[in-house]
Amino acid sequence: MASGSNSLMWFRKGLRIHDNPALEYSAKNSNYLYPVFVIDPHYMEPDPTAFSPGSSRAGLNRIRFLLESLVDLNSSLRKLGSRLLVLKGEPSEVVIRCLKEWDIKKLCFEYDTEPYYQALDAKLKNHASVAGIEVFSPVSHTLFNPADIIQKNGGKPPLSYQSFLKLAGQPSWAASPLSTTLSWLPPVGEVGNCEISDVPTIKELGYEDFGEDNSTLFKGGESEALRRLGESINDKEWVANFEKPKGDPSAFIKPVTTVLSPYLKVVQKSVKRHTSPPVSLLGQLLWRDFFYTVAFGTPNFDRMKENRICKQIPWNDDEELLVAWRDARTGFPWIDAIMVQLQKWGWMHHLARHSVACFLTRGDLFVHWEKGRDVFERLLIDSDWAINNGNWMWLSCSSFFYQYNRIYSPISFGKKYDPNGNYIRHFIPALKNMPKEYIYEPWTAPLSIQSKAKCIIGKDYPKPVVSHDYASKECKRKLAEAYELNKKLNGRVSEEDLRCLRRKLEKDQNPESSNLKRKKQMLIG
DNA sequence: TGTCCGTTGCACGT
DNA sequence: ACGTGCAACGGACA
């Protein structure tokens, strides 16, 4: 093969062999192909100071999910005559060292819009251009190229889903044929002085083994994703009638996450009667692209300050309330059950996410959305930078959605789907025997009932941290004032302005319901 | 400036 | 299961 040369396929997010243009390209006309994944120890090393088992950035579920995905990727590559080379270190340094060591002429990786990867990729592209290495970095993580959409809109990202749809039009794959399935990959060449390891196990990374109840829930990897997808897609009725908003957040259903694009095409053709966006399956992917586009076009998308699209709101910094929420100790069984599911499974229904996000921020506790975002990012196995931040701004009425008087009730919202409280009983064993009349508000149960259920509120299960009626009214009042200030100052609200507003809000607080009284009320209530 | 609309609110009515 | 009132936001477009 005289024309052939060495290629490096750098895997980051798209840990798959199907529908992977970077991988296909890297295999073309190559003598040797080096499929690489770099483990950044910073991301994987146990952090004993973190609030849950895991590293400083990721919970154990996320790490486990990633490792399973890597094991699966490795086994898929082996079936094609290749294998996954796992290296450790700072990713740009490791990859640059590999490029030299293996005399790479072609570097391939999936294009990524996240700021972290934008910076990383710029470094590598710069190195490659100096070294005369070809870089192939196709857009394959999203249906559209966010940069195209932003350009079409005159340089700014669309801020509503509808305007995004108008700009986006049809995804390019609607007209193109399915990509071919790989049947063979070039061999891996000599690895020289680069230190290659196998995919580490959880134990090798220094973590305790999982309890058996966690180990079978959501297996990571493309094979499992395709299996799940296949199951769903073959159920044509399910696909045709799929409407996300109507899903029951208390049902123990499992998510369809990624790798949908090659299959959706088949779906669209074979299912005649299907719902149309925004509620169809395709609609879900377009939502994903919407958030990617806004995130890409918005500097400081992941914080409130200096974020053009984010309302400046005087959130509080109440560590006690945050921790109660995070550790499932709010005293609201619906909220706490969801947070337990998040801790244990790393996944919960999107409406359940809405409930707890609203509760933490604009609905009840008025804690900064960035705090909740951090908890989700750490614990969710499907967490995604653009979507997570976008949804937190949405739910906290900081951007995209502004009807702050529509508040999810931590009591009645769950009740309408699950009047018996089975979801709560499943995740909060302490409340297992609470009669259904009281299970959403156990603090209202007479003491005799609490005794009979072997669950004394304040001892076996916490009292509510706030009164929802009072707290939600306070939140509405604060948001009204904050919105007024944002309007008055045209969004340019300084830290001093926010401090000033905080003082005003404190002063105007209904004296009958001051902090102290509120706590007393709760003891009685 | 006004009007319509917005992936997923609640409480109460039928 | 669906409709109504509640209270009332910003973005898109005329």
Side-chain angles (χ1 to χ4, degrees), chain A residues 106-407:
Chain A
K106 222 159 59 177
L107 170 64
C108 305
F109 53 87
E110 189 172 63
Y111 178 72
D112 201 306
T113 50
E114 231 174 89
Y116 169 80
Y117 286 101
Q118 288 277 308
L120 185 58
D121 296 353
K123 228 194 260 185
L124 271 142
K125 281 177 182 165
N126 186 48
H127 171 90
S129 91
V130 171
I133 296 167
E134 179 193 356
V135 172
F136 183 67
S137 183
V139 174
S140 55
H141 192 58
T142 47
L143 299 177
F144 298 92
N145 184 351
D148 291 346
I149 308 261
I150 290 165
Q151 199 193 359
K152 264 195 202 172
N153 198 39
K156 280 185 177 174
L159 291 180
S160 76
Y161 180 61
Q162 290 306 327
S163 52
F164 168 81
L165 285 184
K166 278 181 197 156
L167 289 163
Q170 287 291 313
S172 59
W173 51 255
S176 68
L178 282 165
S179 63
T180 52
T181 308
L182 289 165
S183 57
W184 178 87
L185 287 173
V188 176
E190 290 295 318
V191 295
N193 287 323
C194 288
E195 210 169 296
I196 308 295
S197 72
D198 284 330
V199 178
T201 63
I202 280 279
K203 264 189 168 170
E204 283 164 359
L205 288 172
Y207 296 102
E208 295 295 317
D209 246 347
F210 270 79
E212 72 259 32
D213 61 327
N214 286 12
S215 55
T216 53
L217 283 173
F218 296 108
K219 200 166 161 31
E222 181 185 17
S223 300
E224 175 68 8
L226 292 179
R227 190 191 66 73
R228 267 181 204 289
L229 182 68
E231 252 176 25
S232 306
I233 298 299
N234 286 334
D235 187 348
K236 293 190 168 53
E237 195 68 23
W238 180 85
V239 173
N241 297 314
F242 179 81
E243 287 190 38
K244 212 172 180 187
K246 288 186 182 161
D248 175 354
S250 66
F252 300 152
I253 50 169
K254 295 182 178 185
V256 175
T257 51
T258 52
V259 214
L260 287 175
S261 57
Y263 292 83
L264 270 179
K265 239 185 302 183
V266 179
V267 172
Q268 294 294 315
K269 282 172 188 161
S270 64
V271 178
K272 286 174 187 111
R273 191 176 55 85
H274 61 82
T275 52
S276 54
V279 289
S280 74
L281 213 44
L282 169 62
Q284 297 310 307
L285 289 189
L286 291 168
W287 269 101
R288 180 170 173 275
D289 270 45
F290 168 60
F291 280 126
Y292 268 86
T293 304
V294 188
F296 183 61
T298 307
N300 302 312
F301 185 74
D302 58 1
R303 58 189 236 213
M304 179 177 85
K305 294 210 162 32
E306 291 159 80
N307 179 344
R308 191 176 65 81
I309 68 165
C310 187
K311 284 241 182 299
Q312 304 299 304
I313 294 167
W315 304 111
N316 69 45
D317 204 14
D318 193 322
E319 184 72 11
E320 222 175 288
L321 290 176
L322 170 69
V323 168
W325 175 82
R326 188 192 72 193
D327 296 347
R329 286 191 282 102
T330 67
F332 289 90
W334 170 248
I335 299 297
D336 292 340
I338 295 166
M339 295 307 288
V340 171
Q341 187 181 27
L342 171 60
Q343 290 268 358
K344 288 200 162 169
W345 292 21
W347 179 87
M348 66 283 203
H349 191 278
H350 74 288
L351 287 181
R353 300 177 193 204
H354 285 202
S355 275
V356 296
C358 178
F359 184 86
L360 178 71
T361 57
R362 68 181 170 87
D364 289 87
L365 304 187
F366 216 68
V367 169
H368 203 306
W369 62 266
E370 291 171 17
K371 303 276 185 179
R373 181 275 320 278
D374 289 342
V375 172
F376 271 29
E377 189 169 291
R378 177 181 178 77
L379 297 176
L380 281 173
I381 56 173
D382 62 4
S383 93
D384 177 294
W385 183 80
I387 296 168
N388 197 22
N389 281 288
N391 275 321
W392 274 98
M393 279 191 270
W394 187 298
L395 266 302
S396 64
C397 280
S398 297
S399 198
F400 308 111
F401 176 82
Y402 306 96
Q403 287 170 268
Y404 55 77
N405 43 322
R406 295 189 185 172
I407 292 174

Side-chain angles (χ1 to χ4, degrees), chain A residues 30-93:
Chain A
S30 297
N31 280 341
Y32 296 109
L33 170 63
Y34 295 82
V36 161
F37 185 88
V38 183
I39 288 182
D40 191 341
H42 211 254
Y43 187 84
M44 297 287 230
E45 269 166 17
D47 178 2
T49 67
F51 72 81
S52 76
S55 71
S56 60
R57 298 286 319 280
L60 202 45
N61 266 327
R62 278 193 65 187
I63 292 172
R64 176 186 57 85
F65 195 83
L66 172 62
L67 295 182
E68 285 171 1
S69 302
L70 292 174
V71 166
D72 184 57
L73 177 63
N74 183 36
S75 104
S76 300
L77 289 169
R78 282 181 179 277
K79 282 174 196 156
L80 299 174
S82 184
R83 69 188 170 107
L84 186 66
L85 307 173
V86 178
L87 295 105
K88 295 195 178 85
E90 198 285 313
S92 66
E93 285 171 21

